[in-house]
Amino acid sequence: MGDLSTPVPTLAADTPILVAERRFRDEPTLRAVAVAVPGGLALLTLRLLETQLSGRLGYGRALLSRAVVGGIVDADSLVLESDAPLLEAADQLLTRVDWLRDDEVLVMGQDGEPAVASVSVMFREVGLLFRDIAMRDQLTGLPNRRLLHERGELLSTQVDPGRMAVLYVDLDGFKQINDSLGHKTGDELLVEFARRLNASVRPQDLVGRLGGDEFAVLLTDVGEEETIAVADRIIAASQESFMIDGLQLYLSASVGVVTGAEVAYEESSLSVLDTLLQRSDVAMLHAKRAGKARIGRLGAHDDMASPNRPAVIRRRLGHAPEQAAQNETAPGVLSLHYQPKLDLRSGEVGSVEFIPVAEHTGQIRALGSWVLRAACRQAKEWMDQGHSWTVAINVSPVQLGIQGFVSEVLGAVRTAGIPTSLLQIEVTESRAIGDAPFALEQLADLRTAGVRVHLDDFGTGYSSLARLRHLPLDALKIDQSITGRIDSDEADAMLLAGVIGAAHLLGLTVIAEGVERDTQFTRLSELGCDVVQGYLIGRPSPAGDVPRMSAGPFPHA
């Protein structure tokens, strides 16, 4: 408030009105004065004085020639404190009707000296403040998608697009922490990461939160080397431990990088910023698929149409489950890809996992039902070919919360004509205990019926070995964020050895995800891991390629 106000003189309450009029006339810039009245100060504006002197019938001057200023001011005038927040001051104005008659409001300075502020200016500033609030993320204070787009579009017209770059940042493992420890912890984690993100970029760079755990950084006047340096700093900052409510948490960030020099803008109908954002989004997904906690780039084969592919997939999935349900054996609508799992004890592929393409589409219930039936049919086809491979499918919280989910699963198994032992249900720890009594009952019923239940992504967020005793499980899947370091960090290897030992004591099979190197494979075998899965064994492939992949060759420990 202080920067919106102007100091004014103070008149005694017994100052004649005509003397006050002469004071305004002698000081043309003066628009109000303070009047010392019993109990404090009151406001006398030039507008009020002129209204009183003109009078209703034109006799005001004559009638008030002997009057004093204390007799015409409101002794209960609103007085605002100069250090009061603008919104609080505006709220005080809005709760009083009498302020509408004046253009100014009295403001008391911290030094006790009076000042006056324009009401119209105050509300103009309030409007600007609300606009800024609407354009910023309420949690982190960063520009939101709208403000990022507005500023980015303006920047793209002022600088060389070839010297621009966009970093698309997505946190790895955030969902598991958010689900396991609650949204309050997740929010505090996002706030701290936003602070680190701001500290990792240059002063001229623009950082925004796109939503959830996704952020974007717009760089201007940069080359390749500077862009990669910023991305490296962001990844390093994300991997430092976070201390939230006494808990030491770990995660990482995947960063998609696209520079303006890589883009042929004339080939796109999108704006410069939208083109960079969409391409960097795809580059970030490349980083996720490559193992997370790294920089993702687009290769030469990724043409300008590729950034639109996720949006096209989302649009098509709106009707695809229904279309597939009408003719479930017809090709071309939806299809599943499978990734083999190698049993280290037998040296053979004993199971395959369906790799979901779109688990955040909003159509997960319909899509999940279709996946369940399709996976069971595929297991039956392989069984008829002499391959008793179990098929694993991921189950979403939505599916696990459906009253008839167990019946749906067992019905799909019966319809396909396969034993329940050929189906595996994979859930994350947070999904398994999100609605504990009901979820545990559903999982227990499935296990009783012979369906195997696996706990996925163990090692992300706040996983607890103690909780495993109370979950109806057959297997524990170690997340790739853990297996990715066991051949380079002995402490991680020893930690994993303890997890494997504890899981075996509980009668659980241990499966390691994300195995990409021979050294990882060898170390996992030494530690007593039961099953491995990852690009070293086989990439996600159509069902027709699985028999060939299952024949090997596979690495040897």
Side-chain angles (χ1 to χ4, degrees), residues 384-405:
D384 291 343
Q385 296 171 2
H387 306 295
S388 296
W389 293 325
T390 57
V391 178
I393 62 172
N394 297 91
V395 173
S396 77
V398 174
Q399 292 170 284
L400 199 57
I402 298 172
Q403 185 71 40
F405 178 64

Side-chain angles (χ1 to χ4, degrees), residues 518-535:
D518 288 326
T519 49
Q520 288 175 293
F521 182 90
T522 300
R523 199 72 179 98
L524 286 165
S525 180
E526 293 170 349
L527 295 176
C529 186
D530 304 303
V531 180
V532 294
Q533 175 184 0
Y535 282 6

Side-chain angles (χ1 to χ4, degrees), residues 159-349:
V159 300
D160 177 10
R163 295 279 295 169
M164 294 177 64
V166 167
L167 311 181
Y168 202 107
V169 184
D170 184 275
L171 293 178
D172 308 319
F174 173 76
K175 186 179 187 302
Q176 287 77 14
I177 292 177
N178 200 46
D179 289 347
S180 300
L181 300 181
H183 294 288
K184 179 178 180 294
T185 298
D187 286 350
E188 292 180 11
L189 192 60
L190 289 173
V191 170
E192 172 59 19
F193 178 72
R195 185 194 65 77
R196 295 185 186 184
L197 190 58
N198 260 328
S200 301
V201 304
R202 306 169 307 165
Q204 65 268 38
D205 298 331
L206 180 62
V207 178
R209 184 185 177 202
L210 301 176
D213 60 342
E214 295 183 345
F215 300 80
V217 181
L218 175 61
L219 312 178
T220 56
D221 192 26
V222 291
E224 174 80 11
E225 186 175 338
E226 293 169 293
T227 301
I228 297 302
V230 174
D232 283 337
R233 289 199 297 270
I234 292 172
I235 292 175
S238 73
Q239 293 177 310
E240 296 179 8
S241 64
F242 293 79
M243 186 61 68
I244 307 293
D245 289 338
L247 294 176
Q248 193 169 23
L249 306 176
Y250 294 89
L251 45 70
S252 59
S254 296
V255 182
V257 174
V258 171
T259 65
E262 301 173 41
V263 180
Y265 298 106
E266 65 277 4
E267 297 178 9
S268 174
S269 60
L270 300 173
S271 66
V272 170
L273 181 63
D274 283 339
T275 300
L276 291 172
L277 275 172
Q278 291 201 3
R279 292 185 70 90
S280 61
D281 186 4
V282 177
M284 180 274 293
L285 294 176
H286 286 2
K288 291 279 191 184
R289 288 195 292 266
K292 305 177 183 178
R294 64 190 66 198
I295 294 173
R297 304 299 297 270
L298 295 185
H301 62 282
D302 296 296
D303 58 25
M304 284 299 292
S306 61
N308 294 319
R309 187 170 180 268
V312 173
I313 290 175
R314 285 191 291 268
R315 289 196 298 272
R316 288 183 173 179
L317 278 176
H319 301 288
E322 290 81 358
Q323 293 172 1
Q326 294 171 7
N327 190 353
E328 295 196 340
T329 60
V333 180
L334 289 173
S335 63
L336 302 185
H337 282 207
Y338 301 85
Q339 188 172 31
K341 301 175 184 177
L342 181 67
D343 191 320
L344 291 178
R345 296 161 297 189
S346 67
E348 298 179 351
V349 168

